C-alpha cells in the first residue's frame, strides 16, 4: 500500500511533513501559530493515552463498545481542528475523538460506550450526531444537513467521516452525489486505514485511490497523508473554507493505519495483517512525526509530554467516576424516548414497566 | 368547501402547509416542474419556489438521508418515494435512522419527517409498484403509519402528519387517488393521528379494514344488510401503527363478532396485529373467532391476475357469513 503515497494520476496527494518531520511542501504549510501546532501535539498525545486507557477499561469491563484509534490521531485531530464549533460533525463509531474535541463530555462518551442512554444526550450547543453504526448512512444525512445550512443562509459546514470500507456503500456515492448536485457546504472524509475489519482496500475496489470516487460525483477529491497532522489540517481547512464560502463539497481521503484491533469485541488483527505491514506503518507514527518537527525547533520536550499524559490520565479517572454515578437506566424512560406523544398502546406498556420499576 | 379528489386534497394540504410554515419542504423524484408522476405536487414549485419544492437525484436512500439531515436541523421535510415498492432502497434511512433518532439521542434530536408514497393494487402497474408493504413498517418502533381512504381524511391526516414532531409514513392508495370526489374544506384542518373511524354503524358484527378495502368492506356490509338483514359495523383503521385498540374494542363490545379485511398478503401483517390486540383486549366480548380475509402469501401479482388476487366483495361477504356462523 505504500505505493499510494506517491502522486497518482487521478487526484492530488498532499503532504507537509515527511516521516523525518521535515517540511516537504512549504506552500501547504498551514498558517498556525506555534502554540496551535503545539496544541495539535498535545491533543495527539492525549488521544494516544486515552486510547490506551479505553482499551484497558474495556478489558476490565468498565467500558463497553470501543473501536481503537491509535495510529489515526492525525487524521482525527487534524480534521476536527479545521472545523468551528458551529460546524456539524456526522461521525462513525470510531470517530469519538472528533466528538470529544467538538464538545462531548468524556463521561458521556463513556456512558455511550456502555450503552447508557444518558451518553446520547449531547449538550444542546454541541454539534455532532450520535456516532453512526450503519456504515455509510451518515453520508446521505450530511447532504441534508448541509442543505439545511445553505437554505438558511448559515455559514456552517457539515463534515462527515467513514472508513475505506464505507466507500463501497451506495450511501457513500449517493451522499457525495447529492452534495455535488446541490452544491452543498459539506466535507466528506474517508479515513483509509487500509482495512475494513479484515478486508483490505484492494478487495474493496479496483479504484487506485478512494478520493478519485469524487470525480464521478463531479466534486473535488484529494488524497492526503493521514499521519501528517499538518497536512490533514491544511487540506481539511481548505475544504471547510471552500464549503463555507459557498464553493461546494470536497471528498478527502486520508491515508492512515489503525495500530490496534478493529474493535475490542474480539478482533484479532494478526489473522489478516502481517507483522511487516504493521512495522512499516509504525515507522510513520503520526505522533513521532510531529514530535520530530517540534523538537527540531525546540518547541516540545519530554517533560511537557509527560505532563500532558498525566493530565489526561487524571481526567480519564475523574470522568469514569462521573460515569459510574449515572442513575440506572429504566425501560420506562426508554419508552418515553420513542415519541413526543406516546401512542395509547405504548402508554399501556409503559405503565406496566413503570409499575415494576417503582 | 370544494369538491376534491384524494390527490387534489393532498396537493391542497401540501400547499397550505408550505404556505403556513417556511420550514416545510417538499421534494423527491419529479415533484418539481412535473408536479409528481400523479400530480400530487402540481403547481407547488411555481407557487412556493425551487427552494421549497424541488427535484432530487434519483436515489431513494439519498432522498430520505437528505430528509433526515434537514429534519435534524429543524426543517419539516415531506419527501416523496415515487412508488412504495422503491422504499427498499431507503429502508435504513426510514427505519434504521429516522425512526430511531429521538431514542438514539435521548430526545436531543427528533425527525419531523413525512414520507408520502403511492401504493396499492388494481391499477395494472409493472412489478414493485403496487405491493402493500405497510406491515413491514407497522412493525418498526418509532414510526407512525397512516393510510387514508378518502379525500377529507387524506387532507386532515396529512396536515397532522406534517405538524407532528415524529416521522410519519403516509401511504396513498393509487386506486383511490381519483375514484371519488368529496366536499373538502378549503382551510387547513387536522384529523387526529392514531385514531380509527367508524364509517358504517352496525350492531351485528364489526368489519375492520383500511385503504381501498374500506370500500370493499362497505359494499359487503350493504349486501349483508340487503340479503340477510345483518347490520355490520365497518371501521376504517386509518392508523396502522399505532392501532386504535379502544375504537375496535368499543365496537366489539357491541357486536361480539369481528373480521379483518386486508389487501396485503396474509401473514404477520396488520390484520394479524389487529386480531392479536382484539385477543388481548376484547376476547371476553367475542362469540366467535376473528377471521381475516386477505390475498394469499405471494408477492403482489402481475396485472393479469390482480383482480382475482385482491379480496373482492364476494370474498368478503363469504367471510362475513362464516364469521356469523362460527
Ligand atoms: C451497513 C453495515 N454493514 C456492515 C457493518 C459491520 N461492520 C462494522 S465496521 C465494519 C468495517 C468498516 O470498515 P471501514 O469503513 O474501513 O472503517 P474502519 O472500521 O476501518 O474505521 C463492518 C463491516 C456495519 N456496521 N454496517
Amino acid at each position: 500500500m505504500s505505493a499510494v503515497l506517491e502522486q497518482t494520476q487521478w487526484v492530488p496527494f498532499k503532504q507537509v511533513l515527511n516521516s523525518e518531520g521535515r517540511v516537504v511542501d512549504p506552500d501547504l504549510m498551514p498558517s498556525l501559530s506555534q502554540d496551535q501546532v503545539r496544541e495539535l501535539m498535545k491533543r495527539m498525545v492525549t488521544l494516544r493515552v486515552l486510547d490506551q486507557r479505553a482499551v484497558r477499561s474495556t478489558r476490565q469491563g468498565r467500558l463497553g463498545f470501543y473501536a481503537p484509534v491509535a495510529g489515526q490521531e492525525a487524521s482525527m485531530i487534524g480534521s476536527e481542528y479545521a472545523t468551528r464549533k458551529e460546524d456539524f460533525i456526522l461521525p462513525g463509531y470510531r470517530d469519538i475523538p472528533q466528538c470529544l474535541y467538538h464538545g462531548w463530555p468524556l463521561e458521556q462518551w463513556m456512558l455511550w460506550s456502555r450503552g447508557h442512554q444518558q451518553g446520547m444526550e449531547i449538550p444542546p450547543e454541541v454539534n455532532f450526531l450520535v456516532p453512526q453504526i450503519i456504515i455509510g448512512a451518515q453520508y446521505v444525512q450530511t447532504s441534508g444537513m448541509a442543505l439545511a445550512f445553505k437554505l438558511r443562509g448559515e455559514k456552517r459546514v457539515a463534515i462527515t467521516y467513514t472508513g475505506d470500507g464505507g466507500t463501497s456503500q451506495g450511501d457513500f456515492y449517493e451522499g457525495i452525489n447529492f452534495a455535488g448536485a446541490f452544491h452543498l457546504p459539506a466535507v466528506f472524509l474517508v479515513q483509509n486505514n487500509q482495512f475494513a475489519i479484515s478486508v483490505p482496500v484492494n478487495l474493496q475496489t479496483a479504484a487506485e485511490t478512494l478520493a478519485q470516487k469524487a470525480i464521478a460525483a463531479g466534486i473535488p477529491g484529494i488524497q492526503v497523508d493521514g499521519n501528517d497532522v499538518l497536512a490533514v489540517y491544511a487540506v481539511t481547512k481548505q475544504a471547510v473554507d471552500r464549503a463555507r464560502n459557498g464553493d461546494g463539497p470536497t471528498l478527502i481521503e486520508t491515508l492512515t493505519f489503525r495500530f490496534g484491533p478493529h474493535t475490542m469485541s474480539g478482533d484479532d488483527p494478526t489473522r489478516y495483517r502481517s507483522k511487516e505491514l504493521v512495522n512499516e506503518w509504525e515507522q510513520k507514527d503520526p505522533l513521532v512525526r510531529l514530535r520530530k518537527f517540534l523538537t527540531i525547533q525546540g518547541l516540545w520536550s519530554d517533560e511537557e509530554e509527560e505532563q500532558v499524559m498525566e493530565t489526561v490520565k487524571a481526567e480519564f479517572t475523574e470522568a469514569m467516576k462521573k460515569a459510574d454515578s449515572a442513575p440506572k437506566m429504566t425501560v420506562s424512560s426508554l419508552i418515553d424516548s420513542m415519541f413526543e406523544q406516546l401512542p395509547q398502546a405504548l402508554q399501556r406498556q409503559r405503565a406496566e414497566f413503570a409499575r415494576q420499576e417503582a | 368547501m370544494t369538491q376534491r379528489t384524494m390527490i387534489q386534497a393532498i396537493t391542497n394540504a401540501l400547499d397550505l402547509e408550505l404556505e403556513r410554515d417556511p420550514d416545510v419542504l417538499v421534494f423527491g423524484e419529479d415533484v418539481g416542474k412535473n408536479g409528481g408522476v400523479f400530480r400530487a405536487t402540481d403547481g407547488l414549485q411555481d407557487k412556493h419556489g425551487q427552494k421549497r419544492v424541488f427535484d432530487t437525484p434519483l436515489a431513494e436512500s439519498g432522498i430520505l438521508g437528505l430528509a433526515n439531515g434537514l429534519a435534524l436541523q429543524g426543517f419539516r421535510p415531506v419527501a416523496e418515494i415515487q412508488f412504495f415498492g422503491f422504499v427498499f432502497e431507503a429502508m435504513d434511512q426510514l427505519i434504521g435512522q429516522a425512526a430511531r433518532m429521538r431514542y438514539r439521542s435521548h430526545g436531543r434530536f427528533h425527525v419531523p419527517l413525512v414520507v408520502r408514497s403511492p401504493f396499492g393494487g388494481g391499477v395494472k402497474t409493472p412489478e414493485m409498484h403496487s405491493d402493500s408493504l405497510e406491515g413491514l413498517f407497522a412493525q418498526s418502533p418509532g414510526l407512525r403509519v397512516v393510510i387514508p381512504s378518502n379525500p377529507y381524511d387524506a387532507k386532515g391526516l396529512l396536515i397532522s402528519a406534517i405538524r407532528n414532531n415524529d416521522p410519519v409514513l403516509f401511504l396513498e392508495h393509487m386506486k383511490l387517488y381519483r375514484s371519488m370526489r368529496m366536499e373538502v374544506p378549503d382551510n387547513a384542518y387536522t384529523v387526529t393521528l392514531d385514531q380509527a373511524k367508524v364509517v358504517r354503524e352496525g350492531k351485528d358484527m364489526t368489519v375492520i379494514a383500511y385503504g381501498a378495502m374500506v370500500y370493499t368492506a362497505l359494499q359487503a356490509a350493504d349486501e349483508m344488510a340487503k340479503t340477510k338483514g345483518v347490520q355490520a359495523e365497518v371501521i376504517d383503521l386509518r392508523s396502522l401503527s399505532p392501532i386504535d385498540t379502544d375504537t375496535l374494542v368499543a365496537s366489539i363490545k357491541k357486536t361480539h363478532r369481528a373480521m379483518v379485511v386486508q389487501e396485503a398478503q396474509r401473514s404477520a401483517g396488520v390484520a394479524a396485529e389487529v386480531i392479536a390486540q382484539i385477543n388481548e383486549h376484547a376476547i371476553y366480548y367475542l362469540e366467535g373467532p376473528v377471521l381475516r380475509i386477505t390475498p394469499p402469501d405471494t408477492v403482489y401479482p402481475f396485472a393479469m391476475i390482480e383482480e382475482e388476487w385482491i379480496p373482492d366483495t364476494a370474498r368478503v361477504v363469504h367471510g362475513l357469513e362464516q364469521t356469523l356462523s362460527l
Side-chain angles (χ1 to χ4, degrees), chain A residues 72 93-94 133-135 162-167 169 191 193 195-197 258 262:
Chain A
Q72 297 185 218
Y93 47 84
R94 199 181 304 283
I133 298 299
I134 296 299
I135 314 277
T162 192
D164 36 294
T167 64
Q169 285 283 359
Q191 293 184 74
N193 64 8
F195 289 87
I197 309 186
R258 91 174 125 74
H262 169 68

Side-chain angles (χ1 to χ4, degrees), chain A residues 131-299:
Chain A
Q132 182 59 249
I133 298 299
I134 296 299
I135 314 277
Q138 68 275 31
Y139 261 55
V140 281
Q141 293 165 1
T142 298
S143 288
M145 277 258 177
L147 179 58
F149 299 149
K150 181 173 169 165
L151 287 173
R152 293 212 202 280
E154 295 176 3
K155 294 230 165 260
R156 297 168 71 187
V157 176
I159 177 168
T160 190
Y161 294 84
T162 192
D164 36 294
T167 64
S168 298
Q169 285 283 359
D171 275 357
F172 168 83
Y173 176 70
E174 291 186 30
I176 61 174
N177 186 58
F178 270 57
F182 292 136
H183 205 62
L184 299 176
V187 177
F188 297 93
L189 220 130
V190 176
Q191 293 184 74
N192 178 356
N193 64 8
Q194 317 302 327
F195 289 87
I197 309 186
S198 66
V199 179
V201 188
N202 67 319
L203 292 182
Q204 211 60 250
T205 178
E208 194 182 341
T209 70
L210 302 176
Q212 77 201 51
K213 295 192 176 206
I215 297 169
I219 70 172
I222 187 164
Q223 201 182 42
V224 59
D225 184 337
N227 286 5
D228 173 356
V229 71
L230 296 179
V232 173
Y233 171 81
V235 164
T236 313
K237 182 75 169 50
Q238 283 171 2
V240 166
D241 287 348
R242 266 173 44 80
R244 208 182 305 284
N245 294 333
D247 294 328
T250 308
L251 176 67
I252 299 170
E253 174 189 5
T254 69
L255 292 171
T256 184
F257 197 78
R258 91 174 125 74
F259 292 154
H262 169 68
T263 67
M264 294 308 294
S265 319
D267 180 53
D268 172 8
T270 63
R271 291 175 69 90
Y272 53 83
R273 298 192 311 205
S274 69
K275 233 188 203 120
E276 293 72 45
L277 184 68
V278 177
N279 285 344
E280 190 187 312
W281 278 96
E282 275 169 359
Q283 300 311 309
K284 301 178 209 155
D285 188 320
L287 273 67
V288 172
R289 192 177 315 192
L290 191 67
R291 194 184 288 121
K292 280 182 182 162
F293 171 78
L294 286 172
T295 310
I296 293 167
Q297 300 171 76
L299 293 173

